[in-house]
Every structure is written in C-alpha cells, then in structure tokens.
Amino acid sequence: MASFPAPVLACCVARAGSYGAGKAIDGDSIAMTGFDVRLAGIDAPEALQTCERGEEDWACGQEAKALLSALVDGKVLSCHQRGSGKYNRVVASCKAGRTDVAEALVRAGLAVALPQFSDQYVFAEAQAKSRGVGIWAGEFMLPADFRAANPSSVPVVRIEK
C-alpha cells in the first residue's frame, strides 16, 4: 500500500465519503478518524469568545461547540468535501442523518453564513436574525474579527478520539 502525506490522505478519504464517528472540536470544526473537518459556508464564535445579551456576557463560543457536540458526537457523518483549508483541515458540508449540521448551527443563531464562499446558509441566517436567536439576541463580534483581534486565543489543537 502506498504511503501518502496526511493532507493528501485526508483529501482522498473525504472524497471517498467513508466516515466514522465525529467529535466537535469547536463550533464549526469536527475531528474525524485521521483528519479534521471545517464546516463549509459558516463561521461560529471561537471557543473563548463571549457575546453580549442585554448587559451580560455569555459564552457564545462554548454554546456553539455544545450544539455541534449534540449534533455530531458519536454519530456517523456523511460529509462532502468542498475544498481544503488551514491547518490541514478538509472543508466540507456534513450531515448527521438528515440534519445539515452547519444549517442547524446557523438556524440556532450560533454561526454566521459566509456568502463569499456559499449562499447555502444565507436564508437560514436571515431567519435566525429576524427571530433574534443566539448571537442575534444581542451584540457580538464576527468570529473572523475576534480571531484577528485575539490570535493567541485560537488554539490549533487536534483532539484525539
């Protein structure tokens, strides 16, 4: 059997569509057997990010991770690779059963759509925003802006299952 570097192997395994159980790393990343997946088309608050509701801070990054955990931990996922990203992660759309996990996060107001990459979740974001749920219930910094302002708060760690 030929030996491939990890990024090439992750690429090919993801395209093959053969998956095991997933485990949430943060609000928009999943550890799979042998590689990590970054959910395509969305961006969730970072693990250490807080948002504001009324006059109080709440751990929106931890809430996003908790929802993703509830959606994927220990479940068999069906993912379709859309590309590759930083940190040797596969960028993919994933479903747990019939549930599009990225869409569920956006509908709950725990992730924003990234229309520059896909318009798939723009409508779900508009609905969450109009309902005032999750991050749309108060003030928040876009996750990309949070990462730019707090680069040391975003660890690049692979969770071993």
Side-chain angles (χ1 to χ4, degrees), residues 5-157:
V8 172
L9 180 60
C11 162
C12 299
V13 169
R15 284 197 183 123
S18 175
Y19 299 103
K23 182 169 176 67
I25 296 171
D26 59 23
D28 53 22
S29 301
I30 304 167
M32 303 290 287
T33 304
F35 61 98
D36 295 340
V37 172
R38 167 74 162 80
L39 293 173
I42 70 165
D43 200 7
E46 294 300 325
L48 297 178
Q49 187 171 346
T50 59
C51 299
E52 191 176 303
R53 276 191 269 205
E55 305 264 334
E56 296 187 25
D57 287 343
W58 61 284
C60 55
Q62 288 301 309
E63 193 167 322
K65 180 182 178 182
L67 177 56
L68 185 58
S69 291
L71 292 165
V72 305
D73 284 7
K75 296 180 180 139
V76 175
L77 304 177
S78 169
C79 298
H80 299 283
Q81 185 172 0
R82 305 290 183 215
S84 58
K86 291 182 181 179
Y87 318 118
N88 295 324
R89 291 184 298 184
V90 170
V91 177
S93 298
C94 297
K95 288 186 176 187
R98 292 183 171 190
T99 302
D100 179 326
V101 295
E103 184 175 3
L105 287 159
V106 174
R107 284 193 185 286
L110 293 173
V112 295
L114 296 176
Q116 67 271 35
F117 298 108
S118 171
D119 63 358
Q120 185 172 355
Y121 304 112
V122 172
F123 182 71
E125 180 184 282
Q127 288 182 317
K129 191 174 187 178
S130 71
R131 291 189 338 264
V133 297
I135 57 179
W136 304 108
E139 299 293 320
F140 69 97
M141 183 181 287
L142 287 171
D145 294 341
F146 179 83
R147 286 189 299 275
N150 303 280
S152 64
S153 69
V154 184
V156 180
V157 177

